[in-house]
Amino acid sequence: MDPGDLEDELTCAVCLHVYQDPVALPCQHSFCLKCIEGVWAQTTGPGGFECPQCHQKFNPRPRLERNFTLCNIVEKYNRSQPPADSARVVCDYCDDNPNPAVKTCLNCETSFCSLHLKPHLQNKTLNGHTLMEPLLDLTDRQCLDHKKVLEVYCKDDEECLCGSCIITGKHKSHTLLSLDQAQAVIKEQLEREVKNLWGVQQNCSRKERDLGSSEAEIMTRINELKGKLSKSFSEWRRQLEEDEEYTLKLIDEEGLRTLSQIRNCSEALNKRMEQITLIDGEIQSLVQRDPLSFIQNWKQLLSRVTETQRVTDPDVPALTLNLSNISQLIQKRLNGCEKYHSDILGIIMSASTEYRGHSNIIPAPHSSSGSAPIPGNVLQPSTGISRRARISQGKSLLSLDPKTANWNLILSDDLRSVTWTRQKQPYPHHPERFKHDPQVLCSQSFCSGFHSWDVETDGKCWGIGIVCGSVEREGIKSNIERNYKSWCLYFSTVYSIDFLIALHNSRRTDLPQIPSKSRIQVQLDYEAGIVSFYQVTDSLTYLHTFQTRFTEPVFPAFYCGNKSSLKLLN
């Protein structure tokens, strides 16, 4: 095996160096003992201990078994690697045929083979000399100023010094350490920094796993959404085919009815013309006879002519296709298309609001119907009173209806404020309670007149509007943003960007931005079918108006999403 390949096989996945004191985890991955202990010291959480390579979790902490097989391989590998520069370093005492050096004495600045090294090992006066692996160049271990061996470390200036530097140099009053002491201190510092790097690595690893989970979840949701939409579109196509077949059948039936009338009239006319032709032939034959026969038979023939003239000619009505009845039947049938359109939009809106508490994703804008801008100070045609005057006359004192509040909403004691909560409240089940979205209605409803009320908003996800009393209380269509029985002003913050939109039956109109904490005024003119929204500051700032026709009582309605609150003001 190539030495480089072998080194790759013997590399720790944490420190990226050849193993030192390798240990094995239960998942069979091996690491340096210090490496795995350092990783666990930095990253261990309530989930237990984790393999840095395969991320398998262990709880409790597994026993670290020494990998003897790997230790033997590493030892053989290290022995096979020559010390740096040792292949070029020879003994300075050998004359004719120098032997390879086995040690270099830093004090003597000389390299020795095993034979000439014996005095350093046996002579007590030389026992204090520092022996190193064979070195070819000693200049990097000598003081540049005094050309002497570097022996101590100056902690203040972070540099190595020789004996002369200590005596004559600027380091006399500095903190001096032996090289062994300095190595221990610096090594400890490096280990701390490496541990910090391990923490960064583990943080990146966690984020990468989170991204992987997010990717998988998004793909799952995409496939689920596509499946639901494909099913709805398939049902829509099937219904359209049935509608086409039904429409063509109606036209065929109407055509057969009309053509049958035409044929019946035609047959009656043909019979009458044949009868007249027959009488005419008899008259022509009678005229050719002798006078006596003519006189004897003319009265009878004249009687038949008179009788035939008395018979009324068949009526021929204006025969056309009666398409008005067909149009009504087809219109009634095609009204179902609105259901499919609404269902498909509902599926998309539902998917976008499932993470409303996290991302507040808002679907792409499209045009709004049934709404038109109306200035804030328009004179009412019937009374001539300004709108501002009517506001003061129509101020309504409202209170929230507890039996309609969703389980994720908390109402204040005075029933004037509502706050979102993650923890479900122990409200009893009630047929009027909203079960799908965090919504609540007021106890008061309106079926005539002009009314207005102010709401203080706070948070990143809220909605204010009105709904018909018959609005559904569960399922997708119960949301006040996406059904035809509600008219709503909706605020959301997505990636630090605020969105304000007007919504009716899932159709939206994007509006100018306002602060999340604002005062909103709702104005309702029931007879005129108008509901308008204003931002209240020192003056009223017009936001949006819906124009419609109310056919039943309407209730003030509120959507209070993640970490938001709404308050009715006097």
Side-chain angles (χ1 to χ4, degrees):
M1 179 180 290
D2 182 81
D5 296 336
L6 181 60
E7 184 173 347
D8 291 340
E9 294 292 330
L10 301 178
T11 298
C12 171
V14 175
C15 65
L16 303 180
H17 292 111
V18 175
Y19 290 111
Q20 293 186 13
D21 196 11
V23 293
L25 303 186
C27 60
Q28 304 305 313
H29 289 118
S30 295
F31 304 92
C32 301
L33 176 60
K34 288 187 177 181
C35 290
I36 189 62
E37 287 182 340
V39 169
W40 285 351
Q42 292 289 326
T43 63
T44 301
F49 299 84
E50 181 181 89
C51 172
Q53 195 160 347
C54 67
H55 305 298
Q56 180 177 342
K57 293 186 179 296
F58 312 104
N59 198 356
R61 171 174 170 156
R63 182 178 178 182
L64 298 176
E65 299 288 349
R66 186 178 177 86
N67 192 332
F68 290 101
T69 302
L70 194 55
C71 286
N72 293 333
I73 297 175
V74 170
E75 185 177 354
K76 291 180 180 179
Y77 171 78
N78 289 333
R79 287 202 302 266
S80 68
Q81 301 301 306
D85 297 330
S86 64
R88 300 190 300 274
V89 180
V90 296
C91 177
D92 293 327
Y93 276 84
C94 293
D95 296 329
D96 298 332
N97 188 17
N99 293 315
V102 294
K103 293 291 181 180
T104 297
C105 177
L106 297 182
N107 300 77
C108 302
E109 300 181 6
T110 305
S111 298
F112 302 96
C113 64
S114 57
L115 177 63
H116 294 108
L117 181 63
K118 288 182 179 180
H120 275 73
L121 301 177
Q122 299 172 354
N123 192 333
K124 293 182 179 180
T125 59
L126 300 177
N127 282 346
H129 287 200
T130 302
L131 298 177
M132 299 289 295
E133 295 299 320
L135 298 173
L136 185 62
D137 186 8
L138 295 174
T139 56
D140 61 341
R141 292 181 170 269
Q142 294 178 340
C143 174
L144 297 178
D145 297 329
H146 307 101
K147 307 303 179 183
K148 292 183 179 182
V149 176
L150 298 172
E151 299 176 332
V152 294
Y153 177 78
C154 176
K155 188 176 181 181
D156 299 271
D157 293 332
E158 297 182 348
E159 60 178 317
C160 294
L161 310 174
C162 69
S164 298
C165 294
I166 301 173
I167 298 173
T168 62
K170 61 181 180 179
H171 305 280
K172 291 180 181 181
S173 60
H174 290 182
T175 301
L176 303 178
L177 303 174
S178 69
L179 296 183
D180 290 338
Q181 291 174 327
Q183 181 184 25
V185 171
I186 296 173
K187 184 178 180 181
E188 182 180 354
Q189 180 182 354
L190 287 176
E191 288 177 349
R192 286 197 303 269
E193 297 300 326
V194 169
K195 286 182 179 180
N196 292 335
L197 285 179
W198 287 340
V200 173
Q201 182 191 43
Q202 292 302 312
N203 188 37
C204 292
S205 178
R206 282 195 297 271
K207 290 182 178 179
E208 183 182 16
R209 292 197 300 274
D210 291 343
L211 287 175
S213 299
S214 298
E215 180 181 8
E217 184 176 358
I218 287 174
M219 290 303 301
T220 299
R221 291 191 172 275
I222 287 174
N223 292 331
E224 290 177 354
L225 180 59
K226 289 171 65 177
K228 291 179 182 178
L229 290 174
S230 296
K231 183 178 179 181
S232 294
F233 277 111
S234 297
E235 179 65 21
W236 198 352
R237 283 191 291 269
R238 184 193 63 77
Q239 185 63 45
L240 285 174
E241 291 174 357
E242 292 181 2
D243 291 344
E244 179 186 11
E245 182 180 356
Y246 174 77
T247 303
L248 296 179
K249 181 180 178 182
L250 286 179
I251 293 175
D252 286 341
E253 291 175 352
E254 177 62 22
L256 289 175
R257 185 191 66 79
T258 306
L259 292 176
S260 177
Q261 288 182 320
I262 292 175
R263 294 189 185 102
N264 291 336
C265 290
S266 179
E267 289 177 2
L269 292 172
N270 285 330
K271 286 181 180 180
R272 184 160 178 75
M273 288 187 295
E274 288 175 359
Q275 186 179 13
I276 293 173
T277 301
L278 180 61
I279 293 175
D280 180 66
E282 292 179 359
I283 291 175
Q284 296 301 324
S285 175
L286 183 61
V287 172
Q288 300 298 325
R289 293 183 183 184
D290 60 280
L292 180 60
S293 295
F294 177 81
I295 293 171
Q296 290 176 340
N297 293 290
W298 75 271
K299 288 186 178 180
Q300 181 182 3
L301 187 58
L302 179 62
S303 176
R304 289 177 60 193
V305 170
T306 304
E307 182 180 352
T308 300
Q309 289 176 341
R310 290 196 193 101
V311 176
T312 304
D313 292 339
D315 291 332
V316 181
L319 298 174
T320 59
L321 292 174
N322 183 13
L323 298 181
S324 60
N325 185 45
I326 295 178
S327 298
Q328 295 176 1
L329 292 174
I330 294 175
Q331 181 63 41
K332 184 177 180 180
R333 191 176 181 93
L334 292 182
N335 282 340
C337 293
E338 296 181 0
K339 170 186 177 298
Y340 292 107
H341 182 257
S342 177
D343 287 348
I344 289 169
L345 289 179
I347 290 172
I348 297 175
M349 292 288 286
S350 176
S352 70
T353 55
E354 283 183 6
Y355 281 139
R356 177 171 287 165
H358 303 284
S359 60
N360 294 324
I361 298 175
I362 295 180
H366 52 79
S367 60
S368 172
S369 63
S371 61
I374 296 179
N377 197 27
V378 177
L379 294 177
Q380 302 299 316
S382 58
T383 63
I385 304 174
S386 70
R387 175 173 294 273
R388 186 63 64 85
R390 295 194 64 191
I391 292 172
S392 61
Q393 294 176 4
K395 278 286 184 180
S396 302
L397 184 62
L398 303 176
S399 61
L400 301 174
D401 188 354
K403 68 177 180 292
T404 66
N406 178 265
W407 287 289
N408 289 106
L409 297 179
I410 298 177
L411 305 185
S412 62
D413 293 339
D414 62 355
L415 300 180
R416 301 280 291 172
S417 300
V418 56
T419 304
W420 180 88
T421 177
R422 188 180 302 277
Q423 184 176 2
K424 286 196 172 183
Q425 301 302 300
Y427 298 147
H429 285 272
H430 194 282
E432 295 186 28
R433 191 174 306 285
F434 286 102
K435 302 172 181 63
H436 187 268
D437 290 293
Q439 299 176 164
V440 63
L441 303 184
C442 282
S443 300
Q444 297 75 18
S445 64
F446 307 110
C447 57
S448 64
F450 184 92
H451 309 272
S452 70
W453 55 94
D454 289 6
V455 184
E456 186 180 82
T457 68
D458 191 10
K460 298 182 178 181
C461 183
W462 49 260
I464 300 172
I466 62 171
V467 301
C468 297
S470 60
V471 68
E472 295 182 22
R473 303 307 170 106
E474 60 181 328
I476 295 176
K477 292 185 178 179
S478 65
N479 189 293
I480 65 174
E481 304 160 24
R482 64 170 71 100
N483 67 75
Y484 68 95
K485 293 185 178 182
S486 63
W487 298 262
C488 173
L489 189 72
Y490 176 70
F491 178 91
S492 178
T493 300
V494 181
Y495 300 122
S496 301
I497 300 177
D498 295 338
F499 293 87
L500 183 67
I501 53 179
L503 284 163
H504 170 65
N505 200 20
S506 297
R507 296 175 179 173
R508 58 179 278 167
T509 300
D510 291 89
L511 305 177
Q513 292 186 11
I514 64 171
S516 61
K517 189 168 186 178
S518 298
R519 180 168 179 166
I520 302 298
Q521 184 172 109
V522 185
Q523 298 180 13
L524 169 66
D525 192 336
Y526 190 93
E527 283 80 4
I530 293 175
V531 57
S532 299
F533 299 88
Y534 298 82
Q535 181 187 7
V536 182
T537 53
D538 294 336
S539 60
L540 289 183
T541 301
Y542 171 77
L543 297 175
H544 191 75
T545 291
F546 292 102
Q547 175 73 62
T548 185
R549 184 172 67 89
F550 300 117
T551 58
E552 62 178 293
V554 295
F555 292 76
F558 308 95
Y559 182 106
C560 191
N562 184 24
K563 299 180 181 179
S564 297
S565 63
L566 298 170
K567 181 179 181 180
L568 286 163
L569 301 176
N570 294 326

